[in-house]
Amino acid sequence: MQMIAGHKAIEPPKGVPVWDIDPYAPDILRDPEPYYAELRSKGPLVYIPKYAVLAVGRYAETREVFSDYTRFVSSRGVGLDDFKHTEAWRPPSIILEADPPAHTHTRRVMIRAMSPRVAAAQREMFTETAEAMVDDLIARGAFEAVTDFAEAFPTTVFPKAVGMKDANPRHLVDYGAMVFNSVGPDNELRRAALRNAPQIAGWINSACARDRLLPGGMGETLYAAADAREITHDEAGMLVRSFLSAGVDTTVTAIGNALWCLAMNPGEYDRLRADPALAKPCFEEVLRFTSPVHTFCRTADLDTEVSGLPVPEGAKMLCVLGAANLDPEEWGDPEVFRLDRRPKGHLAFGVGIHGCVGQNIARAELEAVLGALARKVARIELVGSAVWRPGNAMRALDSLPLRFHAAREG
Ligand code: OVM
């Protein structure tokens, strides 16, 4: 079998346009909107010879492919590597990289571990932490928002919510970079992220053990599910690993992207300030507008069709969530960031049985951050250039120099 980028090298299917582009080129990852627009304009499916994949960027088809778990499976990996033919860089996740019925079982436990009640129990800690950080940043004058706020907040509150005894912000951030860059091709981004994989993955795996977790945390609830025989103790450890894989880099990216949206759209920030209850719709619009996870894959597990076009078994389907979330056919004026959009159906958390199981926690974190800003900061000033960091799955900032101007206390 002819392989390319870790999967079966499919031929361009009849009727599918061929586009000679590298979607993982750093310049495209830094400024993806023109690529998104061209991808959508070419048709419902586009064949990309460089990786022999089919890319999907229109809203309707992206939603269809991303959610149809019977035809487009996750167990063969959600990156370019097809786990049927190429060994995964780590033992596959038992929730992200799994299909029903195994997935159904682990997902049920994770839904309970991150229920609305669990998220509500963390809100006070999230809010107190966000307020203290914002006060400190106001006092600092100019600061680097990526490290000093976007990374600082989740790496402080998330290990506490999980109940980790071993908090190491650097390792958590580096592990996130490994997980999210590993879904791309074997490019420099993936190689750089995986360079220290043995050490960092080793630290992460140790931190997932039961004796490294405190009673009352989200991690311990998974081991309690093992005591109740719903999952095995090994599975509990694997699901704690999923917390640490998916819970840090995502919210780091979301906070940076939110600050960028608000710095670039001061009129919308004024609206949030006037009504801090808009934190919730503000976060949803940040998700739609910036799509922190811009691309994940599925694998066609049989010969099938999408919008009447043939898709062969083994095809890697690049689901370009960032393109779908900016599709004018779905959103009308997608290029406008506005808090009153209430973008129901955006794909930033995915959709269907694999839709983000941590979204209650993510929303609680972002609402705490946006609420603290709205109450304490009169104006978010960009004091240098915002620089994007290319990522194989994440659209995140590398640098965001900001200044928070204090609101009069009231
Ligand atoms: C995991 C996981 C879950 C969601 C996202 C993710 C790619 C990882 O279970 O390890 O990042």
Side-chain angles (χ1 to χ4, degrees):
M1 187 196 321
Q2 172 87 349
M3 298 282 288
I4 188 164
H7 59 268
K8 214 199 268 183
I10 62 156
E11 295 296 321
K14 218 179 204 66
V16 174
V18 175
W19 188 17
D20 213 342
I21 187 174
D22 180 1
Y24 295 98
D27 285 343
I28 287 178
L29 295 171
R30 267 189 285 264
D31 175 23
E33 273 93 359
Y35 151 69
Y36 292 164
E38 196 165 346
L39 174 63
R40 288 188 308 260
S41 79
K42 284 185 183 290
L45 289 182
V46 175
Y47 179 83
I48 298 178
K50 172 143 182 129
Y51 303 116
V53 294
L54 295 172
V56 198
R58 292 184 182 176
Y59 179 84
E61 285 84 5
T62 305
R63 189 180 176 100
E64 175 187 337
V65 172
F66 212 54
S67 58
D68 186 346
Y69 58 87
T70 65
R71 292 187 296 152
F72 301 109
V73 298
S74 289
S75 57
R76 293 169 72 167
V78 300
L80 294 181
D81 285 342
D82 181 350
F83 296 172
K84 194 167 189 161
H85 305 295
T86 298
E87 203 191 339
W89 71 277
R90 61 170 192 169
S93 163
I94 62 172
I95 179 162
L96 175 76
E97 294 152 334
D99 299 321
H103 167 270
T104 316
H105 195 66
T106 48
R107 169 110 181 163
R108 186 176 304 131
V109 174
M110 289 292 261
I111 286 173
R112 226 186 312 123
M114 291 183 285
S115 68
R117 270 198 316 163
V118 171
Q122 301 294 339
R123 271 183 197 270
E124 201 172 286
M125 187 266 285
F126 291 170
T127 301
E128 281 171 10
T129 308
E131 289 182 342
M133 282 189 184
V134 170
D135 284 338
D136 177 61
L137 293 169
I138 290 170
R140 296 246 307 265
F143 62 93
E144 176 47 65
V146 171
T147 49
D148 297 356
F149 196 5
E151 289 184 359
F153 182 79
T155 58
T156 301
V157 302
F158 193 69
K160 276 194 205 168
V162 172
M164 296 177 76
K165 291 182 184 171
D166 313 312
N168 184 322
R170 197 70 260 154
H171 287 177
L172 288 171
V173 167
D174 290 348
Y175 191 65
M178 290 168 44
V179 168
F180 285 96
N181 282 300
S182 70
V183 298
D186 181 26
N187 57 9
E188 186 48 34
L189 291 169
R190 177 176 153 134
R191 282 197 289 268
L194 291 180
R195 210 153 274 155
N196 301 313
Q199 296 90 296
I200 293 163
W203 183 88
I204 290 284
N205 291 337
S206 308
C208 294
R210 188 172 205 169
D211 70 346
R212 309 314 305 149
L213 297 167
L214 296 162
M218 292 179 350
E220 175 56 29
T221 64
L222 296 174
Y223 282 100
D227 291 343
R229 315 232 157 178
E230 295 169 40
I231 51 175
T232 67
H233 287 83
D234 284 352
E235 286 172 331
M238 285 295 285
L239 292 177
V240 176
R241 193 195 70 172
S242 287
F243 281 165
L244 307 188
S245 301
V248 178
D249 216 12
T250 48
T251 45
V252 166
T253 301
I255 292 170
N257 291 7
L259 291 166
W260 177 78
C261 288
L262 294 170
M264 301 298 282
N265 296 276
E268 294 308 284
Y269 185 63
D270 289 343
R271 292 212 162 95
L272 174 63
R273 268 213 332 130
D275 181 5
L278 292 176
K280 192 187 272 286
C282 177
F283 177 40
E284 298 306 314
E285 178 68 342
V286 167
L287 287 172
R288 182 200 67 83
F289 192 70
T290 69
S291 300
V293 175
H294 61 75
T295 306
F296 264 169
C297 299
R298 295 288 187 257
T299 312
D301 206 38
L302 74 180
D303 292 336
T304 183
E305 284 185 0
V306 170
S307 293
L309 297 165
V311 173
E313 188 281 332
K316 277 290 178 182
M317 310 297 290
L318 241 65
C319 299
V320 187
L321 307 174
N325 281 338
L326 293 172
D327 185 348
E329 290 280 329
E330 179 65 20
W331 305 106
D333 57 350
E335 71 294 343
V336 184
F337 174 83
R338 51 182 176 83
L339 303 198
D340 66 357
R341 182 184 301 274
R342 307 209 175 225
K344 208 171 126 339
H346 76 245
L347 301 181
F349 279 136
V351 58
I353 66 165
H354 289 284
C356 178
V357 73
Q359 58 186 278
N360 297 312
I361 309 292
R363 289 200 175 96
E365 286 190 42
L366 268 288
E367 284 161 35
V369 165
L370 294 171
L373 286 173
R375 291 187 299 275
K376 290 175 175 290
V377 175
R379 184 161 75 90
I380 301 174
E381 184 190 0
L382 185 64
V383 296
S385 312
V387 178
W388 293 93
R389 176 190 299 169
N392 287 334
M394 289 294 216
R395 189 185 183 203
L397 286 150
D398 195 46
S399 175
L400 184 67
L402 291 185
R403 182 172 173 159
F404 288 165
H405 296 265
R408 276 192 297 273
E409 295 287 338

